Amino acid sequence: MRIGIFGYGNLGRGVERALVRTSSESLFGIFTKRKTQLGRSLSGAPLFDAGDVLRFTGEIDVMINCGSSKSEVPRTTPFLASHFHVVDAFDTHRDVSQHFAKTDAAAKRSGHLALICAGWDPGLFSVARLYEKAFLHGASPVTLWGPGVSQGHSDALRRIPGVLDAVAFTYPREDAEAIISKLPDAERTPERLHRRVCLIAKAEGADAAAIEAQVRAMPGYFAGYETVIRFTDLQTLHKKHGGMPHGGRVISKNTDGESLSFSLKLPSNPDFTGFSLTVFAHALFRLAASGRVGAILPPDIPPTLFLERTEELWNYI
Amino acid sequence: MRIGIFGYGNLGRGVERALVRTSSESLFGIFTKRKTQLGRSLSGAPLFDAGDVLRFTGEIDVMINCGSSKSEVPRTTPFLASHFHVVDAFDTHRDVSQHFAKTDAAAKRSGHLALICAGWDPGLFSVARLYEKAFLHGASPVTLWGPGVSQGHSDALRRIPGVLDAVAFTYPREDAEAIISKLPDAERTPERLHRRVCLIAKAEGADAAAIEAQVRAMPGYFAGYETVIRFTDLQTLHKKHGGMPHGGRVISKNTDGESLSFSLKLPSNPDFTGFSLTVFAHALFRLAASGRVGAILPPDIPPTLFLERTEELWNYI
């Protein structure tokens, strides 16, 4: 199987590292808008101009779209699905059905298979939520994120005037598990279950109080959350908090006292997401071989398709 | 969908209770060898003689086989698969591939679909092991059972002469998680990861020391395990330890410091397994509608098939 990487930021580099470790021979090349600036890839894999991607339609079996969910993937996955089998890690929960519809139409027209939302949330956590909902009578799955660095929230901090750089950490509240057992569904909101910690390096002369006020007022990010804000210098921020650890848990409990839970701990979010994308890409390729076309989601894949060798199945039953 | 229950022990009653709670109209009837003794079912659902099952081939959509994995299911699932779509909770790990082959042949000949091993281990835990193996680079999933009552181990105790009744508890050892990180695969044996506690009510005059010696010597059950043996009276055993709680965990860790884990806690093992069988039965019926025949295992089912209503999918992505 020949894999192309489309987009070469944190996630694209995560996919590259995963392929180098597991099957470097399958890495056909990396497509980026910044070919000229970058010159070469970290692994030495060929670097191509993103604009030239259609010259390789016959040579790439699965394209892994590593672009930004916010600004690129909604447009590039349907485009890529018109010419390749494609996998993305689209992660804007509220826009999933719209992204699915556009991708499905494009993939069906071209006769390709496209898997969207193939990270860990959405992705593996979507699968966990489905299983827990189905098998735990009367329960509604709750998702806890953290402890970890929230990329979207860090980006939101960086957009505030006077902020040089920032990292936003998310933690499940210590009473989160108790809340899950006690509160009705509607009250188990992310705000009740999580707290945020912001580390901010501000420009000299920037007003800390004004920055703090803006942070606390950001709806959908920090407003309504227990939020701790700390200021630090740029050097400390980069040295001590340059990593991208993350984790989380999908928990379900019912009134019979039954519980199911799936949890995950990751020292590097992009490394795990990158590796997951390669696993999903292999499963997609096996499913495409059976003639399936259109858009699919991670829970559309029978778990046996993730096995590299079918004969290994008996070891895991 | 009309469901038949085949076998009316703990598990059959668990399935019956699940159907009564969720969709009593789908319970067609219960087949048992003890129709005459029992007279009627707990829910009032029709009770039939197991020997009459073939009179109902056109009236039952899915048969849930609740017989004993040891003595009945290896024979009755292939038999039932010759006439019905069938689901079982076969749980003898080492004989799964043989049971699969026999069931597959029968189901393919008759044009039915048969799902085997559809409990929680094997079953949901098989699915968890497959996901963890696939998505955690370089890790091998480890399964911890307990705290809970092990039915097979309790039965083994009851077969010892002089034992009136007994309950065997299984606990993960407190250092189990540490062992998973440190020891190589081959050394992470069930004996290293678990301990057993046996509560035994012995007959008057029976030799406690002799019983204890026999327990400790049972290969595959207690030999090699840290085992605590306590004697108690029949009344205490039934009053305080009559329930069948269980639980467990599938854990994977790799040398990068990543970890994935799926865990489950059950106040009543037969109630959860019974409910699971009904969930699997619905998914099987949906898969059968697409024309699939032969034997399948839980990880052959795309998780989206567990949804009752397709339009709910977006809530869980």
Side-chain angles (χ1 to χ4, degrees):
Chain A
M1 188 174 92
R2 295 154 303 174
I3 291 177
I5 296 174
F6 194 82
Y8 200 39
N10 281 329
L11 186 54
R13 286 192 284 268
V15 172
E16 179 186 23
R17 276 192 295 273
L19 290 174
V20 167
R21 287 176 77 171
T22 56
S23 56
S24 55
E25 72 287 355
S26 65
L27 176 51
F28 178 85
I30 299 161
F31 296 83
T32 170
K33 292 173 296 190
R34 297 173 301 146
K35 179 181 181 322
T36 320
Q37 292 133 271
L38 294 168
R40 63 188 303 270
S41 69
L42 294 171
S43 64
L47 214 57
F48 301 107
D49 196 288
D52 291 338
V53 68
L54 295 188
R55 286 172 40 200
F56 300 93
T57 48
E59 298 175 67
I60 291 169
D61 295 310
V62 178
M63 189 68 87
I64 300 183
N65 188 0
C66 299
S68 153
S69 281
K70 225 168 217 163
S71 56
E72 296 167 341
V73 172
R75 182 176 42 80
T76 52
T77 290
F79 162 71
L80 291 168
S82 303
H83 307 280
F84 303 93
H85 299 314
V86 58
V87 180
D88 76 31
F90 185 71
D91 66 0
T92 313
H93 282 263
R94 65 171 183 281
D95 297 333
V96 169
S97 65
Q98 195 185 348
H99 182 50
F100 184 92
K102 281 189 189 169
T103 303
D104 191 49
K108 277 187 177 140
R109 269 196 304 271
S110 75
H112 288 96
L113 189 60
L115 170 64
I116 65 166
C117 302
W120 62 270
D121 194 2
L124 289 180
F125 272 21
S126 316
V127 170
R129 284 187 286 263
L130 261 175
Y131 274 105
E132 294 186 13
K133 175 65 188 171
F135 285 90
L136 214 60
H137 181 244
S140 297
V142 172
T143 306
L144 298 180
W145 295 278
V149 171
S150 298
Q151 222 47 51
H153 290 74
S154 303
D155 289 341
L157 294 177
R158 289 180 196 122
R159 287 193 293 268
I160 296 174
V163 172
L164 294 179
D165 202 354
V167 179
F169 297 89
T170 300
Y171 298 87
R173 287 173 63 113
E174 265 141 53
D175 58 354
E177 286 232 25
I179 288 177
I180 292 170
S181 312
K182 281 177 206 155
L183 292 188
D185 284 15
E187 293 177 38
R188 302 182 303 183
T189 60
E191 290 87 344
R192 288 290 291 268
L193 298 167
H194 299 87
R195 58 193 182 86
R196 313 271 189 200
V197 174
C198 306
L199 283 185
I200 299 174
K202 69 176 186 70
E204 224 181 279
D207 181 355
I211 290 173
E212 187 164 336
Q214 282 192 66
V215 172
R216 295 194 184 283
M218 290 181 93
Y221 286 93
F222 302 100
Y225 285 88
E226 181 191 325
T227 302
V228 172
I229 298 168
R230 293 199 196 108
F231 289 90
T232 184
D233 59 286
L234 212 51
Q235 212 178 359
T236 309
L237 196 72
H238 292 169
K239 205 162 70 185
K240 286 182 62 182
H241 307 287
M244 283 178 267
H246 219 318
R249 220 171 142 189
V250 178
I251 312 179
S252 300
K253 301 185 180 209
N254 67 14
T255 51
D256 296 339
E258 296 176 338
S259 69
L260 292 179
S261 158
F262 177 69
S263 68
L264 152 168
K265 208 187 98 192
L266 311 172
S268 164
N269 193 353
D271 276 2
F272 181 78
T273 306
F275 182 74
S276 297
L277 282 167
T278 69
V279 174
F280 278 120
H282 280 94
L284 176 94
F285 192 54
R286 291 178 195 118
L287 206 52
S290 72
R292 187 146 171 184
V293 298
I296 57 169
L297 290 154
D300 287 316
I301 302 173
T304 34
L305 276 193
F306 294 119
L307 277 176
E308 281 172 54
R309 279 173 293 276
T310 315
E311 66 273 19
E312 278 188 1
L313 174 63
W314 308 110
N315 300 337
Y316 303 105
I317 299 301
Chain B
M1 187 173 91
R2 295 154 304 172
I3 292 177
I5 296 175
F6 194 82
Y8 199 39
N10 282 329
L11 187 54
R13 285 192 286 268
V15 173
E16 181 186 21
R17 275 191 296 273
L19 290 174
V20 166
R21 287 176 77 172
T22 56
S23 55
S24 56
E25 71 288 354
S26 66
L27 176 51
F28 178 85
I30 299 161
F31 295 83
T32 170
K33 291 173 296 190
R34 298 173 300 144
K35 178 181 180 328
T36 320
Q37 292 134 269
L38 293 170
R40 63 187 302 270
S41 69
L42 295 172
S43 65
L47 215 57
F48 301 108
D49 196 287
D52 291 338
V53 70
L54 294 190
R55 286 171 40 200
F56 301 93
T57 48
E59 298 175 65
I60 291 169
D61 295 310
V62 178
M63 189 68 88
I64 301 184
N65 188 0
C66 298
S68 152
S69 281
K70 224 169 217 165
S71 55
E72 297 167 340
V73 172
R75 182 176 43 81
T76 52
T77 290
F79 163 71
L80 291 168
S82 303
H83 307 279
F84 303 92
H85 300 313
V86 58
V87 181
D88 76 29
F90 185 72
D91 66 0
T92 314
H93 282 264
R94 65 170 182 282
D95 297 334
V96 168
S97 65
Q98 195 185 346
H99 182 50
F100 184 92
K102 281 188 188 171
T103 303
D104 191 49
K108 278 188 176 140
R109 269 196 305 269
S110 74
H112 287 96
L113 188 60
L115 170 64
I116 64 167
C117 301
W120 61 271
D121 194 3
L124 288 180
F125 272 20
S126 316
V127 170
R129 284 187 287 264
L130 261 174
Y131 274 105
E132 292 185 14
K133 175 65 189 174
F135 285 89
L136 213 61
H137 181 243
S140 297
V142 173
T143 306
L144 298 179
W145 294 278
V149 171
S150 297
Q151 222 47 51
H153 289 75
S154 302
D155 288 342
L157 294 176
R158 290 181 195 120
R159 286 193 295 267
I160 295 174
V163 171
L164 294 179
D165 202 355
V167 179
F169 297 89
T170 300
Y171 298 87
R173 287 174 61 114
E174 266 141 52
D175 59 354
E177 286 231 27
I179 287 177
I180 291 169
S181 312
K182 281 177 206 157
L183 292 186
D185 284 14
E187 293 178 37
R188 302 182 303 183
T189 61
E191 291 87 343
R192 289 289 292 268
L193 297 167
H194 299 86
R195 60 194 181 85
R196 313 272 190 198
V197 174
C198 306
L199 283 184
I200 298 175
K202 70 176 185 66
E204 224 182 279
D207 181 356
I211 290 172
E212 187 164 336
Q214 282 191 65
V215 172
R216 295 194 184 284
M218 291 181 93
Y221 286 93
F222 302 99
Y225 285 88
E226 182 192 326
T227 302
V228 172
I229 298 168
R230 293 198 195 109
F231 289 90
T232 185
D233 58 286
L234 211 49
Q235 213 178 356
T236 310
L237 196 71
H238 292 169
K239 206 163 69 184
K240 287 182 60 182
H241 307 288
M244 283 178 268
H246 219 319
R249 220 172 142 188
V250 177
I251 312 178
S252 300
K253 300 183 181 209
N254 67 13
T255 51
D256 296 338
E258 295 176 337
S259 69
L260 291 180
S261 158
F262 176 70
S263 68
L264 153 167
K265 207 186 99 192
L266 311 172
S268 163
N269 193 352
D271 275 2
F272 181 78
T273 307
F275 182 74
S276 297
L277 281 168
T278 69
V279 175
F280 277 121
H282 279 94
L284 175 94
F285 192 55
R286 291 178 196 117
L287 206 52
S290 73
R292 186 144 171 187
V293 299
I296 57 168
L297 291 154
D300 287 316
I301 302 172
T304 33
L305 277 192
F306 294 118
L307 276 177
E308 281 172 54
R309 280 174 293 276
T310 316
E311 66 274 19
E312 278 188 3
L313 174 62
W314 308 110
N315 300 337
Y316 303 105
I317 299 302

